[in-house]
Amino acid sequence: TCDVKSPSMVLAFAAPGFLDADTVGLELLIGALGQGDLSRLYQSLLLEKGAVADVGAGVCNTLEHGMAYIHASTEKSDRLSEG
């Protein structure tokens, strides 16, 4: 079991594998959307609206399959931000 101390959410979507031609475009999109202090999610949800304390996005892929994800939390989480 997991003891959740603050509201948080993670959305995950199927993504192409590492060798797929669409992977480069997805990596660029996810980078602009949710990686770093200049990302759209960070600027909008954290800085402008103050709705979250931590937000980001990323992609995990193997050769054949992948997963794109977006996470947000009302409390800073070092574990999810490292990706």
Side-chain angles (χ1 to χ4, degrees), residues 61-82:
N61 0 30
T62 64
L63 291 178
E64 296 180 7
H65 306 287
M67 176 183 72
Y69 64 89
I70 300 168
H71 68 85
S73 176
T74 58
E75 206 171 274
K76 185 72 176 161
S77 171
D78 293 332
R79 190 177 79 200
L80 287 177
S81 298
E82 291 172 359

Side-chain angles (χ1 to χ4, degrees), residues 40-51:
R40 292 183 180 261
L41 286 172
Y42 187 91
Q43 292 289 316
S44 177
L45 295 177
L46 196 142
L47 294 182
E48 292 174 15
K49 296 178 182 169

Side-chain angles (χ1 to χ4, degrees), residues 8-72:
S8 60
M9 67 112 209
V10 176
L11 299 172
F13 308 92
F18 184 73
L19 298 177
D20 192 292
D22 292 332
T23 297
V24 173
L26 178 62
E27 292 276 356
L28 290 171
L29 174 68
I30 291 294
L33 181 67
Q35 293 180 346
D37 294 351
L38 296 177
S39 71
R40 292 183 180 261
L41 286 172
Y42 187 91
Q43 292 289 316
S44 177
L45 295 177
L46 196 142
L47 294 182
E48 292 174 15
K49 296 178 182 169
V52 298
D54 189 26
V55 65
V59 178
C60 301
N61 0 30
T62 64
L63 291 178
E64 296 180 7
H65 306 287
M67 176 183 72
Y69 64 89
I70 300 168
H71 68 85

